[in-house]
Amino acid sequence: TSKGLHFVELPDTLKPQIVASLKSSSDGHPLSLSNGRAALQRNGVSRELSWTLQNETQAESMLIWHIATECLIIALPDEEATGTGSSRHREVATKLSRYCAYLMSEAPELLPGNSVDTKFILDRAMLEAREALGSGSELRGRDRLRKGGTGGSGDAAGTIFTRGLKLGAKLESVREGSLRWKLMAEFWVETILFVAPSDYAAAHMERLACGGEFLTHVWALLTHAGILTRSLEPDP
């Protein structure tokens, strides 16, 4: 089982992206929240990557993208300092990805779905990762991680971990790094907005009394805007 993930400090550049995403989502119309599908459509990869969102739970979708994000951090370390815009997008994507993993571990009651199921799905994915990588040096484990996304009989086949590896391999194949991280930053910003509405206001109020999670502040922002529920558009 997971031992708990450390708190993630989120960058200041995130707040403007949250506001920009809210504005672009409404664009003169009633605001609708996307679980990342809109980001895929805007960046022209909906057909190739829509399978990453076709899961029974939101936790599975977030874990697939979290694993893919971690793969790219390992596979593309030199991109961290390439270009101001790309670097900003990379920072937002990686920090939000890790923050969502932290929420699944430490505050699953704030996320969509049953909190016990969310923890179970997270623990299962971590077990899959340990079994897939096996023992050995960190360098050998990283090499396996980079090469592990090529197997399987279909994009949506396999465990959460192998699907995350497949997604990571597909994203790594994007030639333009700035476009890759732009897509991922937009995906994670949309995801954090999508998971913020909650039926469990008491859980958020308890967090606010202690200073509040970042997600709780997003929940409060959306609540003031009259957004109390999330809805999914049908797949195209």
Side-chain angles (χ1 to χ4, degrees):
T1 60
S2 61
K3 301 295 184 181
L5 301 177
H6 294 297
F7 178 76
V8 178
E9 185 176 351
L10 296 171
D12 293 335
T13 53
L14 177 57
K15 294 179 181 178
Q17 290 218 24
I18 292 283
V19 174
S21 183
L22 283 171
K23 288 182 178 179
S24 65
S25 296
S26 58
D27 194 24
H29 304 285
L31 181 62
S32 61
L33 302 179
S34 165
N35 67 337
R37 183 178 291 112
L40 303 188
Q41 292 172 341
R42 275 196 309 275
N43 289 277
V45 293
S46 179
R47 178 174 296 180
E48 297 89 339
L49 300 183
S50 62
W51 59 269
T52 65
L53 305 179
Q54 295 168 0
N55 302 290
E56 292 184 5
T57 66
Q58 179 65 24
E60 290 173 88
S61 298
M62 289 194 295
L63 278 169
I64 289 169
W65 278 83
H66 172 66
I67 291 164
T69 304
E70 291 297 312
C71 286
L72 291 180
I73 293 171
I74 293 170
L76 305 169
D78 295 337
E79 285 192 348
E80 187 169 4
T82 57
T84 304
S86 179
S87 179
R88 256 197 324 267
H89 288 138
R90 178 184 172 112
E91 181 183 35
V92 167
T94 56
K95 291 296 180 66
L96 270 183
S97 171
R98 289 174 175 176
Y99 180 62
C100 284
Y102 158 79
L103 288 172
M104 283 186 275
S105 172
E106 301 302 308
E109 71 277 5
L110 301 182
L111 297 172
N114 183 284
S115 61
V116 174
D117 290 343
T118 297
K119 284 281 288 183
F120 174 79
I121 291 167
L122 173 64
D123 289 340
R124 186 181 66 191
M126 294 180 71
L127 178 60
E128 292 167 0
R130 286 195 294 269
E131 291 178 343
L133 296 177
S135 58
S137 68
E138 179 183 4
L139 181 60
R140 190 157 58 236
R142 288 185 176 188
D143 187 53
R144 290 179 185 172
L145 188 61
R146 290 188 62 183
K147 295 178 180 178
T150 57
S153 58
D155 286 332
T159 66
I160 291 173
F161 184 66
T162 57
R163 281 179 282 165
L165 293 179
K166 290 173 187 176
L167 173 59
K170 287 181 179 294
L171 292 171
E172 187 178 352
S173 69
V174 176
R175 292 185 178 182
E176 183 57 56
S178 60
L179 296 179
R180 176 193 304 112
W181 291 110
K182 173 180 176 292
L183 160 66
M184 296 179 69
E186 290 179 3
F187 171 85
W188 282 114
V189 168
E190 287 184 8
T191 295
I192 204 71
L193 286 169
F194 180 77
V195 301
S198 174
D199 295 328
Y200 304 104
H204 279 292
M205 296 304 293
E206 290 176 6
R207 297 277 173 169
L208 278 175
C210 302
E213 286 286 348
F214 176 75
L215 184 66
T216 296
H217 292 283
V218 177
W219 166 78
L221 173 66
L222 294 179
T223 299
H224 283 300
I227 304 169
L228 305 177
T229 60
R230 67 185 68 83
S231 62
L232 276 177
E233 298 177 0
D235 288 326

